[in-house]
Amino acid sequence: MDLALKFFYEWNDFSDNEEKNFVNEYIWDEHAAAIRAESILYLFLVCNENNISIKRSIFEDSIRQHAEWLTLDEHYLKGTNHGVYENKALLYIGYASDNKKYINIAKARTYQEIENLFTKEYISTENSFNYHRINKELFLEIGIVLQNQGDKLGDELFELARKAEDFMGYAIKPDGSCAVFGDTLWADYTNCKCIDKNGVLAYATNQGKMWDENSKEVPEKIIVYPKSGYFICREFWNCTAKTKLGFTDATWLLFKSGYNNIVHKQADDNSFALYSRGYDIFVDCGMYNYMFRDPIRQYVRSANAHNTVIADEKSFEFLRKDLTERCGIMHSEIQSDFGYVVGYNYLYHGIYMVRHFVFSNNKVFILDQIESNFEHKYSQLFHLGKNMNVSYLSDSRLIANIGDTNYTVTLTQLESQDCTMELINGGAGCQGHAELNYGIMSEEFNSFFPIDTIKYNSIKSNYEFATSITINEKGESNCDSFSYNKSKGVLTIVDQNEARELQLLSKKKIAEKSPPKLFFDNFNIALQDSRILITDNENYDEEYTYAWYLIDEATRKNVYIQMYKPENTFSYDLDSLNISQCSIRAFMLNKKQDKKRSQVLAHFLKDKKGRWSYIRELNIDESLIK
């Protein structure tokens, strides 16, 4: 206690002398100020309860100073857990000092954050298992305080936290560890403290030991949260099932597509993670840290680090609130032992990706349908867990041993024409940090290790990957558990010698749910030797003028500018520039509305032999949405 008081008094002197205007963003940050306010209040109350002599006026002034700072709207970070920390601190101070102003502000903000931070399906909008748990616990702590004061909002928050636990239960893998999606670090939740002792989280973390085989409390094996963007499946729950497998051996899968908030978001739309027989098979590559310029952090957040489809080796834009309707789950069919969802990802400029995802017992079928007006290199990615050992690999099939078990996973490309395969291990990149494109995973903060990434590639404008994944005992030959009739769009599922047909969602139905096209989708790029010709092929009802910027990618400076003209074409000889890499940004100005739009169209590169080539730009500019 002597050390705690010494620390507080010294900090208070420093704060008075150096921080009168609250200018230090690391001291007067909403998260730091809220937690510090709670800590000072707690120290003050403990001293009072134990009759420890303190400089009371200094404590009271500091607590009041923090409370007043927290009440100001310009210091409040809404829509994040930081804001809820502020609410909690302000509420504690309000009740401790009997200040209704603080209490009312904290309650009003908390009520608003219910909708900001949780969907109607009781899932945190912060795109992370870790932050789902944090927000659940924050609302629960506030709820308990309000319940003790006889406030009905406390009951509402308590019920919210209880229902939020159910999602955690489904997102817990059979071994008790959490699903690593978004900014999440691996953690073991076995026997964690639960609000509802009969809820899904309690069942999952106690590994079913509290229920018998016929219990009605056993959770669903397959569940979908379409508004929140999650589809979670489990082969079985009951550890007394008539099988030689134990609770932790069950196959578990999480598919993710869509978001409502950019906080802690990663480029993981249409991605999935798969666990079976005690091991992670296909993994999300983690979060590493929060330093956005760190190359490892940049990689693990990118689409390249997720089990999805990417274009031209690049990720897509995802840190934009106005793009949330361009990805998500558009369709679902759920039965007791069978689930089918359709996820869409239109976050690449001019590319439309749809993923059909089917789970049946311990089998998975994936159909990726990709369409564009232009040719791209499409890559279907699978990141293997650290305990997976590849035993066979070809352009159409992967077989890997699952840890030290007697089981293997088999991945088969059912439509493998014009498809090539790459196996990439991140060992070299881990050592030199040079090419951090694939094959790296992070489970702990600031720590990472190499893994194997399997990449299936095809260079087309339109393409389909039809892929089956099965879990088999070694020597078992049930790899071909799916057959896909492309012309009819019918999937046949074979299970224990019984066949079931599933009519996949048609392209016509998918098109009905597509968002409006973006500007610049129809810009055509032609390259003849060193001369480029760009043409806008769209016919508009309104009049537009065009401007063009050539940008040196080495210096990021403009090297040529053509200001607004009515012509919808642009031609230029790149050899007239003394550079080897450049990009072209097009501008469109609506003369009637005085509204401007822009887009980087392509990146041009000259090789050592003086030959020019280009790739189209994939990321979306904010001004593109119609």
Side-chain angles (χ1 to χ4, degrees):
M1 291 299 297
D2 288 340
L3 182 59
L5 289 170
K6 181 176 183 292
F7 187 92
F8 166 68
Y9 291 136
E10 288 185 357
W11 181 88
N12 192 69
D13 289 341
F14 165 78
S15 177
D16 283 346
N17 292 332
E18 304 292 336
E19 297 298 327
K20 291 181 180 179
N21 296 319
F22 309 110
V23 295
N24 190 314
E25 62 180 312
Y26 296 102
I27 294 176
W28 293 104
D29 159 87
E30 67 284 339
H31 193 276
I35 294 179
R36 186 172 60 247
E38 278 193 39
S39 301
I40 295 171
L41 175 63
Y42 181 58
L43 178 60
F44 176 69
L45 295 175
V46 169
C47 289
N48 280 343
E49 290 175 3
N50 292 276
N51 297 316
I52 296 172
S53 177
I54 59 173
K55 300 174 183 177
R56 189 178 186 90
S57 62
I58 294 178
F59 270 94
E60 291 176 344
D61 287 346
S62 180
I63 292 169
R64 188 182 306 109
Q65 178 192 53
H66 279 79
E68 290 297 326
W69 189 93
L70 291 168
T71 62
L72 299 178
D73 288 341
E74 59 263 35
H75 299 153
Y76 183 66
L77 192 62
K78 65 179 180 179
T80 74
N81 62 86
H82 289 206
V84 187
Y85 274 109
E86 292 182 86
N87 296 338
K88 184 159 71 80
L90 197 57
L91 192 72
Y92 286 176
I93 295 171
Y95 281 119
S97 61
D98 194 26
N99 188 309
K100 291 184 179 180
K101 169 189 169 183
Y102 300 158
I103 295 170
N104 290 336
I105 291 174
K107 282 179 56 180
R109 288 174 174 173
T110 298
Y111 195 81
Q112 293 174 346
E113 295 300 359
I114 294 175
E115 291 190 2
N116 291 335
L117 283 171
F118 281 91
T119 68
K120 299 296 184 183
E121 297 165 329
Y122 302 100
I123 297 176
S124 172
T125 62
E126 288 201 315
N127 303 293
S128 159
F129 185 96
N130 278 2
Y131 288 93
H132 178 92
R133 173 187 59 79
I134 288 170
N135 282 311
K136 183 266 298 184
E137 291 176 354
L138 285 171
F139 278 108
L140 177 62
E141 290 171 9
I142 294 173
I144 291 172
V145 171
L146 292 172
Q147 281 182 325
N148 291 337
Q149 300 297 323
D151 194 303
K152 291 183 179 180
L153 178 57
D155 296 332
E156 186 175 343
L157 294 176
F158 187 90
E159 183 64 11
L160 168 67
R162 188 186 69 79
K163 291 180 177 178
E165 274 196 353
D166 282 348
F167 172 74
M168 291 179 63
Y170 287 113
I172 292 286
K173 292 180 284 189
D175 67 352
S177 64
C178 63
V180 181
F181 59 86
D183 285 346
T184 299
L185 293 172
W186 183 94
D188 185 359
Y189 282 78
T190 305
N191 296 317
C192 72
K193 186 177 180 180
C194 304
I195 301 171
D196 186 352
K197 294 182 179 179
N198 293 313
V200 180
L201 181 61
Y203 193 101
T205 57
N206 286 284
Q207 299 185 346
K209 296 173 184 176
M210 298 167 61
W211 290 263
D212 61 36
E213 186 173 1
N214 298 315
S215 173
K216 295 180 181 179
E217 301 295 332
V218 175
E220 300 292 336
K221 289 195 293 185
I222 300 176
I223 191 166
V224 62
Y225 299 96
K227 294 179 180 178
S228 307
Y230 296 93
F231 171 60
I232 308 175
C233 309
R234 190 178 289 240
E235 181 185 7
F236 59 83
W237 278 94
N238 208 311
C239 56
T240 60
K242 296 178 181 178
T243 174
K244 58 185 178 182
L245 300 171
F247 187 94
T248 61
D249 294 321
T251 300
W252 170 97
L253 176 144
L254 183 144
F255 172 81
K256 189 176 189 308
S257 187
Y259 61 108
N260 299 279
N261 188 334
I262 64 173
V263 180
H264 297 293
K265 166 71 176 164
Q266 295 190 3
D268 55 5
D269 300 287
N270 278 4
S271 72
F272 74 102
L274 180 66
Y275 165 105
S276 187
R277 307 310 182 241
Y279 293 95
D280 290 315
I281 295 177
F282 297 120
V283 296
D284 185 300
C285 291
M287 65 164 277
Y288 189 61
N289 61 28
Y290 294 112
M291 308 305 290
F292 296 135
R293 294 182 181 179
D294 188 304
I296 302 173
R297 168 67 171 173
Q298 290 175 346
Y299 165 71
V300 297
R301 295 186 81 200
S302 71
N304 302 46
H306 295 89
N307 300 304
T308 186
V309 174
I310 63 170
D312 296 335
E313 309 284 354
K314 295 179 64 176
S315 186
F316 51 80
E317 179 62 72
F318 59 96
L319 294 179
R320 290 250 311 277
K321 293 180 181 179
D322 60 340
L323 297 178
T324 56
E325 293 187 1
R326 301 192 71 83
C327 59
I329 294 175
M330 67 166 64
H331 175 79
S332 62
E333 298 177 29
I334 306 299
Q335 299 180 20
S336 60
D337 61 347
F338 165 83
Y340 167 48
V341 295
V342 181
Y344 63 101
N345 178 359
Y346 303 153
L347 293 170
Y348 280 115
H349 173 59
I351 302 176
Y352 298 85
M353 296 182 176
V354 173
R355 171 164 276 192
H356 303 256
F357 210 95
V358 178
F359 179 88
S360 178
N361 289 324
N362 63 343
K363 300 184 295 296
V364 175
F365 173 78
I366 303 172
L367 176 64
D368 288 310
Q369 296 175 321
I370 314 154
E371 296 184 359
S372 175
N373 291 333
F374 307 100
E375 189 175 87
H376 295 279
K377 178 182 179 181
Y378 301 124
S379 300
Q380 190 190 43
L381 302 177
F382 298 93
H383 301 278
L384 288 169
K386 61 185 177 182
N387 294 301
M388 301 297 296
N389 302 298
V390 176
S391 61
Y392 177 82
L393 191 58
S394 71
D395 285 346
S396 62
R397 180 159 292 184
L398 158 72
I399 301 176
N401 298 316
I402 303 176
D404 57 1
T405 72
N406 193 41
Y407 288 86
T408 63
V409 59
T410 300
L411 184 151
T412 306
Q413 294 291 357
L414 304 179
E415 298 283 330
S416 59
Q417 68 273 17
D418 303 317
C419 179
T420 60
M421 178 277 304
E422 294 178 72
L423 169 62
I424 304 168
N425 183 277
C430 284
Q431 294 172 8
H433 295 199
E435 294 292 332
L436 295 176
N437 292 325
Y438 306 100
I440 290 176
M441 183 178 181
S442 173
E443 288 184 337
E444 299 176 354
F445 204 75
N446 279 331
S447 175
F448 60 95
F449 52 84
I451 58 173
D452 288 329
T453 295
I454 310 298
K455 225 168 137 272
Y456 293 97
N457 307 304
S458 183
I459 300 177
K460 298 282 185 180
S461 57
N462 302 324
Y463 193 73
E464 286 191 359
F465 293 98
T467 311
S468 75
I469 302 171
T470 59
I471 310 299
N472 316 300
E473 283 195 76
K474 290 181 179 178
E476 188 180 27
S477 59
N478 69 334
C479 303
D480 300 317
S481 299
F482 298 101
S483 62
Y484 169 55
N485 187 319
K486 183 175 181 178
S487 61
K488 295 182 179 180
V490 173
L491 176 69
T492 301
I493 308 169
V494 180
D495 190 9
Q496 297 179 349
N497 297 322
E498 293 185 5
R500 171 193 297 174
E501 286 193 349
L502 172 66
Q503 180 67 57
L504 300 181
L505 193 67
S506 68
K507 290 187 176 182
K508 181 179 179 181
K509 289 290 184 182
I510 291 171
E512 292 174 359
K513 299 177 182 290
S514 299
K517 281 191 174 183
L518 303 174
F519 277 81
F520 303 99
D521 275 7
N522 294 301
F523 274 60
N524 184 66
I525 301 174
L527 176 62
Q528 183 66 39
D529 296 326
S530 62
R531 179 163 290 278
I532 57 172
L533 176 64
I534 302 176
T535 307
D536 181 6
N537 293 320
E538 185 71 20
N539 293 318
Y540 303 102
D541 294 332
E542 297 175 324
E543 185 179 354
Y544 284 90
T545 58
Y546 299 80
W548 309 88
Y549 281 52
L550 280 174
I551 305 161
D552 183 346
E553 295 208 332
T555 64
R556 307 307 302 166
K557 294 182 178 179
N558 300 324
V559 291
Y560 178 81
I561 298 175
Q562 178 178 298
M563 292 309 292
Y564 288 95
K565 294 182 179 181
E567 289 80 16
N568 64 347
T569 62
F570 174 69
S571 181
Y572 196 85
D573 188 351
L574 296 175
D575 275 348
S576 64
L577 303 172
N578 189 26
I579 58 176
S580 59
Q581 295 183 63
C582 70
S583 57
I584 295 182
R585 177 178 285 274
F587 290 83
M588 296 175 62
L589 178 64
N590 186 313
K591 295 183 68 176
K592 182 177 180 181
Q593 300 178 1
D594 194 28
K595 185 175 182 180
K596 184 189 299 182
R597 294 177 171 85
S598 73
Q599 168 69 41
V600 173
L601 297 180
H603 302 265
F604 291 81
L605 174 66
K606 183 164 66 173
D607 64 19
K608 293 180 180 180
K609 296 182 178 180
R611 297 172 300 191
W612 286 93
S613 62
Y614 75 92
I615 59 171
R616 294 186 68 91
E617 171 65 27
L618 301 178
N619 291 342
I620 302 173
D621 280 4
E622 187 162 357
S623 61
L624 294 182
I625 303 301
K626 284 189 178 181

